[in-house]
Amino acid sequence: MVSGKKMYQGLLTVFVLLAASVLLAWWFSLAAARHEQAQQLERFVMQTQARVSNLLRGLEKTERELNALTMPLCSVEMRRRLRELVYDHQFVREVLVTREAQIQCSNMLSQLGQPVDLPPHDFVGREGNRIWMPGSAPLAAHAEYLYVSFGHFIVAIHPSHLIDVVPDHPQRNLALLIAQNNEFHVLASWPQFPVSNGARYDPLEPLPDWLAATAGDAFLQVVAVEPLVYIRKGAENYFVYLLVLFCAGFGAIAWWVRRWLQSRYSLLGVMDDAIENGEFVNYYQPIVELATGRITGAEALVRWVKPDGSLIRPDLFIPLAEESGKIRGITLQVLENLERDLGAVLRARPDLYVSINVTEPDLTDDVFFDALAATCSPGRLPAGQVRIELTERCLIDSAQGVARVIRLREAGHAIYIDDFGTGYSSLSYLQKFPLDVLKIDKAFVDAMDTESVTGSVVPHIVGMASALGLHTLAEGIEQEGQRARLSAMGVQYGQGWLFDKPLPAERFIERVSDE
């Protein structure tokens, strides 16, 4: 029974995938065919618009030539020149000469014994030219012409000449639209445009069952249309290929989705979202003067707080963040948190400071330096109260590292070496780099009361730091005896659970206020 159920589920899954493949293949085939036809239609309408623009430039040339005529109106010489002009400009059918809103003559007609009154023009063009649409022409004999005025002259054009372009598809149709009273009307069309000449046509409202493309401006537009039914015919050319592609690709897609889900819900996968959502917050562990117990500052320690309030341990996400380079975003968030959490306290208490951990990727990142400079700009946080903790690994590339550390020091930040002695220990970089404090790792503090090899490391570190003019800070102090011994050895500062655990900003502010 179970086996039969699994077989049914498997067959159902195959059916669903095949059905999805068929539907998607057909949908994408239609989309591909529509895109191909739309591109062809767009090219065609642009070519037609280029022809219209070229002819309109010719009309501008006609205007210049007419304006250059200086002979008397309707003189024999003028009429001869007008005939030459019509001959030279094939799209110009006739030129009328007017005076005081009356037609006096034309290139074909001599001086009229009785001037003809001009009918009211339909509208004014974008350059101020009066325009008579076909059907309201100044001369009834040529009612199919479009008439445009240029000073004393009126030029007749056959609108269809503007779009006299042979379509590259038997079902492709053209129209020329002209703006009249804030609406477009069909000025000329062919061979079987679905809207008749003179009718209103809105380019923003495509005709049902037609694919359309337009080109032009607010005055003249060219429209090309063709039936959508040809898109379905074109889709058949794509369907078989896409069906095979989708069927073959579903396995790869399923594998990718599985991998994506795994990465999405792993720590690394959700880290970008956590940075964007501000899930990384600062905790502050007090740093005290061992001789007096007075709080002198704090180390900002980043914590990942999930939306449900749960915490992710730093040892789980920090190594991943450093390896992937995402630590840069986390460090920038630490800076933002620091100013928001303790900005007012630090400005009010110039004797306090906060140290932040800077990794090797941060040290080579100009974005971090810019953010740090902005955070410590006038009116925000004093640079001297924001100290930088580096690991020994950051100092291996001495050529670049020295310049970067010097840049931090010149900006006013004290430099701490974190976990000194656990990494790349070398006297050479202690002398080469401008440092201020060596932080003694907890492992060496714990080993002080043992007979292990590392039990005598602390006195050597303190002696080395003293010789180099550096201060020392011991980490992980948990017992009063450790504090007393470290203070007796000359260690100036310390941090650890003996003094307090890492605290949220509010608790740290209360702790400092209590002092």
Side-chain angles (χ1 to χ4, degrees), residues 448-482:
M448 286 191 306
D449 295 326
T450 69
E451 296 182 1
S452 65
V453 176
T454 56
S456 60
V457 169
V458 173
H460 292 292
I461 294 176
V462 174
M464 186 188 311
S466 178
L468 294 171
L470 306 177
H471 292 291
T472 50
L473 188 159
E475 296 178 285
I477 302 174
E478 298 178 351
Q479 302 170 16
E480 175 57 28
Q482 291 175 329

mmCIF file of all heavy atoms in Angstrom, residues 448-482:
data_model
loop_
_atom_site.group_PDB
_atom_site.id
_atom_site.type_symbol
_atom_site.label_atom_id
_atom_site.label_comp_id
_atom_site.label_asym_id
_atom_site.label_seq_id
_atom_site.Cartn_x
_atom_site.Cartn_y
_atom_site.Cartn_z
ATOM 1 N N MET A 448 49.114 31.416 34.783
ATOM 2 C CA MET A 448 50.068 32.007 35.729
ATOM 3 C C MET A 448 50.297 31.137 36.956
ATOM 4 O O MET A 448 51.408 31.063 37.488
ATOM 5 C CB MET A 448 49.557 33.389 36.185
ATOM 6 C CG MET A 448 49.686 34.474 35.152
ATOM 7 S SD MET A 448 49.364 36.117 35.861
ATOM 8 C CE MET A 448 47.756 35.894 36.602
ATOM 9 N N ASP A 449 49.286 30.466 37.450
ATOM 10 C CA ASP A 449 49.393 29.671 38.682
ATOM 11 C C ASP A 449 49.699 28.206 38.387
ATOM 12 O O ASP A 449 49.525 27.357 39.259
ATOM 13 C CB ASP A 449 48.100 29.786 39.488
ATOM 14 C CG ASP A 449 47.856 31.198 39.984
ATOM 15 O OD1 ASP A 449 48.836 31.897 40.302
ATOM 16 O OD2 ASP A 449 46.678 31.608 40.005
ATOM 17 N N THR A 450 50.116 27.891 37.186
ATOM 18 C CA THR A 450 50.448 26.518 36.817
ATOM 19 C C THR A 450 51.930 26.408 36.521
ATOM 20 O O THR A 450 52.653 27.420 36.440
ATOM 21 C CB THR A 450 49.647 26.082 35.581
ATOM 22 O OG1 THR A 450 50.114 26.822 34.436
ATOM 23 C CG2 THR A 450 48.160 26.349 35.766
ATOM 24 N N GLU A 451 52.372 25.196 36.359
ATOM 25 C CA GLU A 451 53.783 24.959 36.031
ATOM 26 C C GLU A 451 53.963 24.639 34.551
ATOM 27 O O GLU A 451 54.971 24.056 34.143
ATOM 28 C CB GLU A 451 54.322 23.805 36.874
ATOM 29 C CG GLU A 451 54.325 24.105 38.363
ATOM 30 C CD GLU A 451 54.908 22.973 39.190
ATOM 31 O OE1 GLU A 451 55.322 21.951 38.591
ATOM 32 O OE2 GLU A 451 54.966 23.117 40.402
ATOM 33 N N SER A 452 52.972 25.061 33.758
ATOM 34 C CA SER A 452 53.062 24.810 32.316
ATOM 35 C C SER A 452 54.107 25.707 31.691
ATOM 36 O O SER A 452 54.622 26.645 32.325
ATOM 37 C CB SER A 452 51.699 25.056 31.660
ATOM 38 O OG SER A 452 51.345 26.418 31.763
ATOM 39 N N VAL A 453 54.412 25.421 30.420
ATOM 40 C CA VAL A 453 55.417 26.194 29.683
ATOM 41 C C VAL A 453 55.013 27.662 29.597
ATOM 42 O O VAL A 453 55.864 28.569 29.638
ATOM 43 C CB VAL A 453 55.604 25.602 28.261
ATOM 44 C CG1 VAL A 453 56.571 26.460 27.448
ATOM 45 C CG2 VAL A 453 56.086 24.173 28.334
ATOM 46 N N THR A 454 53.697 27.923 29.475
ATOM 47 C CA THR A 454 53.218 29.306 29.318
ATOM 48 C C THR A 454 53.005 30.007 30.656
ATOM 49 O O THR A 454 52.563 31.163 30.680
ATOM 50 C CB THR A 454 51.889 29.310 28.538
ATOM 51 O OG1 THR A 454 50.945 28.476 29.225
ATOM 52 C CG2 THR A 454 52.085 28.777 27.128
ATOM 53 N N GLY A 455 53.310 29.331 31.760
ATOM 54 C CA GLY A 455 53.055 29.923 33.058
ATOM 55 C C GLY A 455 53.862 31.174 33.335
ATOM 56 O O GLY A 455 53.452 32.017 34.139
ATOM 57 N N SER A 456 55.012 31.336 32.713
ATOM 58 C CA SER A 456 55.876 32.503 32.969
ATOM 59 C C SER A 456 55.871 33.504 31.822
ATOM 60 O O SER A 456 56.739 34.383 31.752
ATOM 61 C CB SER A 456 57.316 32.024 33.216
ATOM 62 O OG SER A 456 57.801 31.328 32.072
ATOM 63 N N VAL A 457 54.895 33.388 30.916
ATOM 64 C CA VAL A 457 54.856 34.271 29.740
ATOM 65 C C VAL A 457 54.491 35.700 30.133
ATOM 66 O O VAL A 457 55.067 36.669 29.612
ATOM 67 C CB VAL A 457 53.861 33.722 28.688
ATOM 68 C CG1 VAL A 457 53.605 34.766 27.596
ATOM 69 C CG2 VAL A 457 54.395 32.446 28.065
ATOM 70 N N VAL A 458 53.553 35.871 31.080
ATOM 71 C CA VAL A 458 53.045 37.199 31.418
ATOM 72 C C VAL A 458 54.161 38.152 31.845
ATOM 73 O O VAL A 458 54.245 39.282 31.363
ATOM 74 C CB VAL A 458 51.932 37.117 32.473
ATOM 75 C CG1 VAL A 458 51.529 38.523 32.935
ATOM 76 C CG2 VAL A 458 50.725 36.389 31.910
ATOM 77 N N PRO A 459 55.049 37.757 32.769
ATOM 78 C CA PRO A 459 56.122 38.688 33.161
ATOM 79 C C PRO A 459 56.991 39.113 31.986
ATOM 80 O O PRO A 459 57.424 40.277 31.909
ATOM 81 C CB PRO A 459 56.929 37.896 34.192
ATOM 82 C CG PRO A 459 55.971 36.883 34.725
ATOM 83 C CD PRO A 459 55.096 36.517 33.573
ATOM 84 N N HIS A 460 57.225 38.201 31.044
ATOM 85 C CA HIS A 460 58.038 38.540 29.872
ATOM 86 C C HIS A 460 57.313 39.565 28.985
ATOM 87 O O HIS A 460 57.943 40.487 28.460
ATOM 88 C CB HIS A 460 58.364 37.281 29.067
ATOM 89 C CG HIS A 460 59.295 36.352 29.777
ATOM 90 N ND1 HIS A 460 60.626 36.656 30.026
ATOM 91 C CD2 HIS A 460 59.097 35.119 30.313
ATOM 92 C CE1 HIS A 460 61.205 35.664 30.669
ATOM 93 N NE2 HIS A 460 60.293 34.709 30.865
ATOM 94 N N ILE A 461 55.996 39.384 28.804
ATOM 95 C CA ILE A 461 55.220 40.337 27.988
ATOM 96 C C ILE A 461 55.237 41.722 28.642
ATOM 97 O O ILE A 461 55.429 42.743 27.974
ATOM 98 C CB ILE A 461 53.774 39.843 27.805
ATOM 99 C CG1 ILE A 461 53.741 38.552 26.971
ATOM 100 C CG2 ILE A 461 52.916 40.926 27.142
ATOM 101 C CD1 ILE A 461 52.360 37.948 26.811
ATOM 102 N N VAL A 462 55.049 41.736 29.971
ATOM 103 C CA VAL A 462 55.038 43.009 30.681
ATOM 104 C C VAL A 462 56.392 43.705 30.561
ATOM 105 O O VAL A 462 56.480 44.910 30.319
ATOM 106 C CB VAL A 462 54.669 42.801 32.164
ATOM 107 C CG1 VAL A 462 54.793 44.104 32.945
ATOM 108 C CG2 VAL A 462 53.265 42.235 32.287
ATOM 109 N N GLY A 463 57.482 42.929 30.718
ATOM 110 C CA GLY A 463 58.819 43.506 30.594
ATOM 111 C C GLY A 463 59.075 44.032 29.190
ATOM 112 O O GLY A 463 59.664 45.116 29.015
ATOM 113 N N MET A 464 58.645 43.291 28.195
ATOM 114 C CA MET A 464 58.822 43.714 26.801
ATOM 115 C C MET A 464 58.049 45.000 26.540
ATOM 116 O O MET A 464 58.567 45.942 25.921
ATOM 117 C CB MET A 464 58.317 42.598 25.876
ATOM 118 C CG MET A 464 58.569 42.849 24.400
ATOM 119 S SD MET A 464 57.749 41.601 23.373
ATOM 120 C CE MET A 464 58.272 40.089 24.186
ATOM 121 N N ALA A 465 56.774 45.050 26.989
ATOM 122 C CA ALA A 465 55.956 46.239 26.783
ATOM 123 C C ALA A 465 56.560 47.454 27.473
ATOM 124 O O ALA A 465 56.600 48.555 26.914
ATOM 125 C CB ALA A 465 54.544 45.982 27.299
ATOM 126 N N SER A 466 57.060 47.255 28.684
ATOM 127 C CA SER A 466 57.662 48.367 29.433
ATOM 128 C C SER A 466 58.879 48.912 28.694
ATOM 129 O O SER A 466 59.080 50.125 28.611
ATOM 130 C CB SER A 466 58.042 47.890 30.840
ATOM 131 O OG SER A 466 58.669 48.927 31.562
ATOM 132 N N ALA A 467 59.684 48.000 28.154
ATOM 133 C CA ALA A 467 60.885 48.420 27.433
ATOM 134 C C ALA A 467 60.536 49.213 26.171
ATOM 135 O O ALA A 467 61.287 50.093 25.758
ATOM 136 C CB ALA A 467 61.715 47.198 27.063
ATOM 137 N N LEU A 468 59.395 48.900 25.577
ATOM 138 C CA LEU A 468 58.972 49.575 24.341
ATOM 139 C C LEU A 468 58.065 50.772 24.619
ATOM 140 O O LEU A 468 57.591 51.424 23.681
ATOM 141 C CB LEU A 468 58.240 48.588 23.427
ATOM 142 C CG LEU A 468 59.100 47.445 22.866
ATOM 143 C CD1 LEU A 468 58.227 46.424 22.159
ATOM 144 C CD2 LEU A 468 60.157 47.979 21.907
ATOM 145 N N GLY A 469 57.793 51.052 25.891
ATOM 146 C CA GLY A 469 56.937 52.184 26.233
ATOM 147 C C GLY A 469 55.470 51.925 25.980
ATOM 148 O O GLY A 469 54.711 52.875 25.721
ATOM 149 N N LEU A 470 55.050 50.652 26.062
ATOM 150 C CA LEU A 470 53.655 50.299 25.810
ATOM 151 C C LEU A 470 52.957 49.939 27.112
ATOM 152 O O LEU A 470 53.573 49.451 28.055
ATOM 153 C CB LEU A 470 53.567 49.097 24.851
ATOM 154 C CG LEU A 470 54.302 49.228 23.513
ATOM 155 C CD1 LEU A 470 54.172 47.939 22.706
ATOM 156 C CD2 LEU A 470 53.750 50.404 22.715
ATOM 157 N N HIS A 471 51.649 50.148 27.176
ATOM 158 C CA HIS A 471 50.844 49.699 28.298
ATOM 159 C C HIS A 471 50.404 48.256 28.065
ATOM 160 O O HIS A 471 50.461 47.751 26.935
ATOM 161 C CB HIS A 471 49.604 50.583 28.482
ATOM 162 C CG HIS A 471 49.931 51.973 28.928
ATOM 163 N ND1 HIS A 471 50.429 52.255 30.173
ATOM 164 C CD2 HIS A 471 49.824 53.171 28.284
ATOM 165 C CE1 HIS A 471 50.612 53.558 30.293
ATOM 166 N NE2 HIS A 471 50.266 54.143 29.150
ATOM 167 N N THR A 472 49.942 47.601 29.136
ATOM 168 C CA THR A 472 49.438 46.231 29.031
ATOM 169 C C THR A 472 48.040 46.156 29.617
ATOM 170 O O THR A 472 47.690 46.868 30.557
ATOM 171 C CB THR A 472 50.358 45.236 29.753
ATOM 172 O OG1 THR A 472 50.627 45.722 31.073
ATOM 173 C CG2 THR A 472 51.659 45.037 28.996
ATOM 174 N N LEU A 473 47.243 45.254 29.031
ATOM 175 C CA LEU A 473 45.865 45.029 29.476
ATOM 176 C C LEU A 473 45.633 43.527 29.473
ATOM 177 O O LEU A 473 45.805 42.870 28.426
ATOM 178 C CB LEU A 473 44.884 45.731 28.539
ATOM 179 C CG LEU A 473 43.402 45.785 28.925
ATOM 180 C CD1 LEU A 473 42.709 46.937 28.175
ATOM 181 C CD2 LEU A 473 42.663 44.484 28.635
ATOM 182 N N ALA A 474 45.270 42.970 30.612
ATOM 183 C CA ALA A 474 45.064 41.524 30.734
ATOM 184 C C ALA A 474 43.596 41.186 30.526
ATOM 185 O O ALA A 474 42.709 41.855 31.066
ATOM 186 C CB ALA A 474 45.523 41.043 32.105
ATOM 187 N N GLU A 475 43.328 40.132 29.745
ATOM 188 C CA GLU A 475 41.968 39.698 29.466
ATOM 189 C C GLU A 475 41.612 38.477 30.316
ATOM 190 O O GLU A 475 42.486 37.718 30.754
ATOM 191 C CB GLU A 475 41.813 39.328 27.986
ATOM 192 C CG GLU A 475 42.019 40.474 27.016
ATOM 193 C CD GLU A 475 41.891 40.014 25.578
ATOM 194 O OE1 GLU A 475 42.841 39.365 25.084
ATOM 195 O OE2 GLU A 475 40.859 40.285 24.948
ATOM 196 N N GLY A 476 40.326 38.289 30.529
ATOM 197 C CA GLY A 476 39.833 37.063 31.164
ATOM 198 C C GLY A 476 40.142 36.946 32.646
ATOM 199 O O GLY A 476 40.308 35.825 33.140
ATOM 200 N N ILE A 477 40.217 38.057 33.354
ATOM 201 C CA ILE A 477 40.487 37.996 34.801
ATOM 202 C C ILE A 477 39.207 37.586 35.518
ATOM 203 O O ILE A 477 38.169 38.256 35.394
ATOM 204 C CB ILE A 477 40.975 39.367 35.318
ATOM 205 C CG1 ILE A 477 42.238 39.796 34.553
ATOM 206 C CG2 ILE A 477 41.229 39.318 36.807
ATOM 207 C CD1 ILE A 477 42.703 41.198 34.896
ATOM 208 N N GLU A 478 39.266 36.488 36.251
ATOM 209 C CA GLU A 478 38.077 35.956 36.916
ATOM 210 C C GLU A 478 38.232 35.860 38.436
ATOM 211 O O GLU A 478 37.236 35.643 39.144
ATOM 212 C CB GLU A 478 37.736 34.570 36.354
ATOM 213 C CG GLU A 478 37.397 34.603 34.864
ATOM 214 C CD GLU A 478 37.107 33.225 34.286
ATOM 215 O OE1 GLU A 478 37.339 32.221 34.987
ATOM 216 O OE2 GLU A 478 36.648 33.158 33.138
ATOM 217 N N GLN A 479 39.442 35.991 38.939
ATOM 218 C CA GLN A 479 39.680 35.826 40.377
ATOM 219 C C GLN A 479 40.450 37.031 40.917
ATOM 220 O O GLN A 479 41.278 37.638 40.220
ATOM 221 C CB GLN A 479 40.482 34.543 40.649
ATOM 222 C CG GLN A 479 39.810 33.272 40.127
ATOM 223 C CD GLN A 479 40.735 32.078 40.200
ATOM 224 O OE1 GLN A 479 41.758 32.113 40.886
ATOM 225 N NE2 GLN A 479 40.384 31.012 39.484
ATOM 226 N N GLU A 480 40.195 37.328 42.170
ATOM 227 C CA GLU A 480 40.881 38.451 42.808
ATOM 228 C C GLU A 480 42.379 38.224 42.870
ATOM 229 O O GLU A 480 43.184 39.148 42.721
ATOM 230 C CB GLU A 480 40.317 38.675 44.213
ATOM 231 C CG GLU A 480 41.019 39.746 45.038
ATOM 232 C CD GLU A 480 41.034 41.110 44.378
ATOM 233 O OE1 GLU A 480 40.119 41.401 43.592
ATOM 234 O OE2 GLU A 480 41.968 41.892 44.641
ATOM 235 N N GLY A 481 42.783 36.976 43.070
ATOM 236 C CA GLY A 481 44.212 36.651 43.116
ATOM 237 C C GLY A 481 44.907 36.968 41.807
ATOM 238 O O GLY A 481 46.052 37.440 41.796
ATOM 239 N N GLN A 482 44.224 36.709 40.700
ATOM 240 C CA GLN A 482 44.802 37.025 39.388
ATOM 241 C C GLN A 482 44.981 38.541 39.241
ATOM 242 O O GLN A 482 46.008 39.013 38.756
ATOM 243 C CB GLN A 482 43.892 36.495 38.269
ATOM 244 C CG GLN A 482 43.842 34.980 38.165
ATOM 245 C CD GLN A 482 42.833 34.521 37.123
ATOM 246 O OE1 GLN A 482 41.816 35.177 36.897
ATOM 247 N NE2 GLN A 482 43.101 33.376 36.505
#
